[in-house]
């Protein structure tokens, strides 16, 4: 016997039992993003490796050890995207969309990172990525956060908190970096291997360490907030005032740094206490240097990425997934002639019903079996297409959601009659 093949570790199938939650989240986000004036774009899943090196940064976990990189048969180094912001920035530059424009864009799809698979952390995972390019803020920063807050309300998700910080300008960070280096060098023996490595390339990343043994050292480190220049402080203060005005609560977290180098000024993260260790469900920030860094005209930007699997898990916890709509009609067929006629009846109903699914019994079966399938489908009405009825030019109908007998309908009137019956049964498509 051939061995069965398994999916790649950390890469999941999404099966019909779970797809309702995914679709509900996707539908809700699509509607909300349109309401806030965002347009969808689709960018490739594979990009030149160079794009991620130049945007995310050489000394980040993603670029150092998490990318799926390969050389294609033409000899080019390509990478499965670990996130979408870099691709969207590349796309607006390469397609000449900038030129002083103000762009509100979103994209969604799978991302790939070679991380250690565990609950809430996968090697292929899905993100919604929302990007506003050409807005200096802080008004857009506040609106983007308000959009997130509204999303949680619409989804009925309450166990999320907003963490907020400012990374300031790159000049302020350079200043701070020196202070942090002094602090860490004086305690080099207490650093774990990862942090020691980061000391060389990107000491700010030490603050993002998830190693509990590093906690005390991180707690005592100098704060970036104390090194912000006046403009950064003003931007951050204005954002906070706007959030206060909107009544959106936040927690200031001076140690919130993000795992990607392109962030500046505002950074934020929606976190939950309902999913265990993987608590970040939506993370974002301002990336004013990114477009310039990738060769476009200097253009400010801000965005966030929402982790779909983690939000789906929250949705399932709160039971916020609407039930899948039941079909309107299940067509039962009985007899040799009826089989061909059943197909035609089902197609005719699909034409005339517009909304509402029509399921047709396929592959035969006794009447009893077919009625059982009809019941299980959740359909409102069963239509019985039988040889005997066809002789008389009629089909039989039976309501399935209540005790009731069968009645008949002329084939010629079927569409109109079924619509009427569905109304009487108070059937709705949702
Ligand atoms: P984390 O701190 O959990 O590693 P991150 O800082 O790497 O997250 P981002 O790169 O900003 O996160 O990605 C945005 C969102 O995508 C995260 O908030 C999270 O919800 C989700 N996400 C990130 N990595 C994974 C993964 N490996 N599996 C599932 N979801 C993920
Ligand atoms: Mg990560």
């Amino acid at each position: 016997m051939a061995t069965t093949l398994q999916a790649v570790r950390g890469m999941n199938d999404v099966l019909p039992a779970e797809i309702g939650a995914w679709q509900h989240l996707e539908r809700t986000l699509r509607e909300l993003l349109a309401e806030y004036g965002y347009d969808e774009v689709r960018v490739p899943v594979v990009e030149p490796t160079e794009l991620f090196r130049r945007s995310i940064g050489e000394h980040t976990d993603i670029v150092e050890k998490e990318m799926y990189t390969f050389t294609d048969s033409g000899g080019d180094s390509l990478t499965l995207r670990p996130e979408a912001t870099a691709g969207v920035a590349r796309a607006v530059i390469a397609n000449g969309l900038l030129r002083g424009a103000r762009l509100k864009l979103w994209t969604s799809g799978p991302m790939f990172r070679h991380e250690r698979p565990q609950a809430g952390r996968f090697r292929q995972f899905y993100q919604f990525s929302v990007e506003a390019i050409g807005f200096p803020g802080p008004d857009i920063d506040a609106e983007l956060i308000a959009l997130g807050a509204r999303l949680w309300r619409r989804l009925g998700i309450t166990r999320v908190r907003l963490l907020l910080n400012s990374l300031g300008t790159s000049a302020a960070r350079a200043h701070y970096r020196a202070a942090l280096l002094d602090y860490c060098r004086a305690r080099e023996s207490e650093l774990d291997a990862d942090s020691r490595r980061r000391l060389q390339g990107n000491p700010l990343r030490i603050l993002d360490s998830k190693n509990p043994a590093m906690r005390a050292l991180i707690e005592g480190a100098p704060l970036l907030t104390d090194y912000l220049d006046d403009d950064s402080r003003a931007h951050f203060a204005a954002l906070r005032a706007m959030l206060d005005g909107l009544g959106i609560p936040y927690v200031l977290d001076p140690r919130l740094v993000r795992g990607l180098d392109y962030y500046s000024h505002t950074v934020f993260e929606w976190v939950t206490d309902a999913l265990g260790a993987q608590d970040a469900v939506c993370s974002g920030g301002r990336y004013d240097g990114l477009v310039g860094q990738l060769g476009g005209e200097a253009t400010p930007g801000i965005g966030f990425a929402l982790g779909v699997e983690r939000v789906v898990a929250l949705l399932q916890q709160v039971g916020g997934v609407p039930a899948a709509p039941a079909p309107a009609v299940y067509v039962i067929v009985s007899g040799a002639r009826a089989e061909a006629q059943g197909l035609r009846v089902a197609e005719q109903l699909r034409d005339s019903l517009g909304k509402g699914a029509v399921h047709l019994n396929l592959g035969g079966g006794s009447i009893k079996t077919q009625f059982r399938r009809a019941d299980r489908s959740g359909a409102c009405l069963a239509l019985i297409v039988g040889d005997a009825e066809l002789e008389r030019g009629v089909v039989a109908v039976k309501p399935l959601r209540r005790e009731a007998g069968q009645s008949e309908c002329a084939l010629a009137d079927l569409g109109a009659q079924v619509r009427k019956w569905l109304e009487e049964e108070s059937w709705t498509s949702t």
Side-chain angles (χ1 to χ4, degrees):
M1 210 172 75
T3 52
T4 50
L5 292 171
Q6 303 293 324
V8 176
R9 203 161 105 80
M11 303 199 181
N12 301 313
D13 304 308
V14 183
L15 301 177
E18 309 149 69
I19 204 72
W22 286 65
Q23 290 175 341
H24 177 59
L25 173 59
E26 289 164 0
R27 205 179 311 117
T28 306
L29 265 166
R30 279 206 181 88
E31 284 170 11
L32 191 62
L33 287 163
E35 289 166 28
Y36 279 79
Y38 285 81
D39 291 315
E40 182 178 5
V41 290
R42 298 192 184 183
V43 293
V45 169
V46 178
E47 296 275 4
T49 304
E50 183 62 15
L51 173 66
F52 302 116
R53 291 193 177 286
R54 267 167 64 183
S55 55
I56 297 170
E58 291 282 352
H59 299 288
T60 56
D61 283 355
I62 294 179
V63 171
E64 273 179 350
K65 52 189 188 195
E66 295 174 358
M67 294 205 299
Y68 281 90
T69 296
F70 61 99
T71 306
D72 77 355
S73 53
D76 294 322
S77 177
L78 304 179
T79 293
L80 299 186
R81 62 180 182 194
E83 57 99 49
T85 305
V88 171
R90 178 205 48 69
V92 301
I93 299 167
N95 291 286
L97 300 186
L98 281 174
R99 312 230 162 86
R102 292 134 54 87
L103 304 167
K104 284 175 134 183
L105 306 171
W106 67 270
T107 195
S108 74
M111 309 296 155
F112 302 86
R113 297 184 194 175
H114 196 270
E115 303 199 68
R116 193 169 69 76
Q118 53 196 291
R121 191 174 292 287
F122 313 107
R123 290 179 171 174
Q124 172 174 327
F125 60 98
Y126 287 75
Q127 285 184 341
F128 262 75
S129 190
V130 179
E131 319 290 349
I133 299 173
F135 303 85
D139 49 359
I140 187 79
D141 308 22
E143 194 193 56
L144 210 52
I145 287 170
L147 188 161
R150 186 175 299 279
L151 175 69
W152 311 129
R153 286 201 298 279
R154 273 203 196 163
L155 294 174
I157 291 172
T158 52
R159 284 173 72 175
V160 283
R161 287 186 310 143
L162 174 65
L163 306 183
L164 193 64
N165 191 22
S166 173
L167 301 180
T169 58
S170 58
R173 279 197 305 286
H175 206 143
Y176 171 68
R177 190 176 184 273
L180 183 65
L181 267 178
D182 284 347
Y183 172 84
C184 291
R185 288 231 169 91
R187 293 159 185 81
E188 202 157 341
S189 60
E190 299 165 44
L191 296 179
D192 64 7
D194 262 350
S195 300
R196 222 165 287 154
R197 196 167 37 80
R198 286 169 175 158
L199 209 49
Q200 313 303 326
N202 190 352
L204 256 72
R205 299 279 306 132
I206 294 174
L207 302 180
D208 204 24
S209 167
K210 284 167 183 143
N211 180 359
M214 292 286 298
R215 200 163 292 151
L217 184 136
I218 292 169
E219 298 275 304
L223 292 179
L224 176 51
T225 331
D226 295 333
Y227 290 77
L228 294 186
D229 53 287
D230 290 345
D231 284 353
S232 300
R233 275 179 210 281
H235 185 116
F236 197 44
L239 168 61
R240 290 171 55 186
M242 288 171 185
L243 292 177
D244 293 340
L246 291 169
I248 296 175
Y250 51 84
V251 179
L252 291 178
D253 181 354
R255 289 180 188 81
L256 179 66
V257 294
R258 307 275 302 103
L260 306 89
D261 277 355
Y262 51 61
Y263 288 115
S264 56
H265 291 292
T266 312
V267 289
F268 60 93
E269 196 153 86
W270 293 96
V271 295
T272 179
D273 62 354
L275 295 179
Q278 309 321 321
D279 64 350
V281 292
C282 179
S283 324
R286 185 155 273 289
Y287 46 81
D288 292 344
L290 178 62
V291 172
Q293 214 170 300
L294 292 177
E297 60 194 73
T299 309
I302 181 168
F304 68 68
L306 173 144
V308 173
E309 286 83 353
R310 295 183 193 175
V311 178
V312 162
L314 287 179
L315 257 179
Q316 286 164 336
Q317 274 187 13
V318 298
V321 185
V329 178
Y330 191 97
V331 181
I332 288 171
V333 289
S334 146
R337 256 187 76 205
E339 219 160 78
Q341 190 63 31
L343 277 162
R344 288 173 56 188
V345 164
E347 283 300 304
Q348 191 188 331
L349 280 177
R350 287 171 182 134
D351 286 342
S352 60
L353 287 188
K355 247 182 161 184
V358 176
H359 290 191
L360 170 65
N361 186 81
L362 298 167
S366 70
I367 290 290
K368 198 170 153 216
T369 306
Q370 293 193 48
F371 261 110
R372 205 170 47 236
R373 289 176 188 152
D375 249 335
R376 264 203 312 246
S377 78
C380 181
L381 296 176
L383 281 193
I384 304 101
V385 181
D387 281 351
E389 288 87 356
L390 286 177
E391 290 291 328
R392 295 186 284 118
V394 299
V395 296
V397 63
K398 188 176 185 313
L400 293 172
R401 302 290 124 227
R402 63 184 171 89
E403 284 303 324
Q406 271 182 220
S407 46
E408 286 186 349
C409 167
L411 265 176
D413 305 333
L414 196 59
Q417 185 61 46
V418 167
R419 273 207 304 275
K420 205 171 131 241
W421 276 325
L422 287 172
E423 258 167 48
E424 281 166 18
E425 298 295 318
S426 309
W427 181 85
T428 52
S429 63
T430 46

